[in-house]
Amino acid sequence: MDFEVVPATRSDLRKLASEKHLFYNKQDYRPGLTGRSSDPIPRNPTEHEAVFVAKSGGQVFGFVDVGKTWEGTAEVISWGVRKGFRNKGIGKALL
């Protein structure tokens, strides 16, 4: 499967928000785990956050939301790969 990992556009973020059921099951949501609401999909990254997506032909297959810690290091805030596209190296490429 050919895909590219690129910085997310606003359009990508809107698409992720509307298709979150394709990335997570409701029981996978863990409120408070990321310091946000129970919704793991990034919507409005802060200046200390970056969101990258794996996509091909305009379709988003995965995402990673990376934040900067107070120590200046990076941490993964949330990430996901669309059901049906797992075990194809997408998550590995995102990380």
Side-chain angles (χ1 to χ4, degrees):
M1 167 176 215
D2 292 328
F3 62 90
E4 61 182 345
V5 175
V6 296
T9 64
R10 292 248 180 244
S11 175
D12 293 333
L13 295 176
R14 282 192 299 275
K15 194 176 293 187
L16 282 171
S18 69
E19 297 177 346
K20 68 181 171 187
H21 63 283
L22 299 174
F23 293 87
Y24 294 99
N25 296 321
K26 186 66 175 173
Q27 66 268 20
D28 292 337
Y29 295 179
R30 291 186 172 74
L33 185 65
T34 63
R36 349 178 129 156
S37 68
S38 62
D39 187 354
I41 302 294
R43 295 175 188 274
N44 297 304
T46 69
E47 64 183 87
H48 300 290
E49 243 178 298
V51 180
F52 296 90
V53 293
K55 62 196 287 188
S56 179
Q59 186 175 14
V60 175
F61 300 109
F63 73 93
V64 63
D65 183 4
V66 181
K68 182 178 176 183
T69 68
W70 63 273
E71 299 169 314
T73 61
E75 68 177 339
V76 173
I77 297 170
S78 64
W79 66 299
V81 175
R82 182 180 261 209
K83 297 172 190 174
F85 293 93
R86 296 177 181 161
N87 299 312
K88 299 183 184 309
I90 296 170
K92 188 176 185 177
L94 285 163
L95 294 178

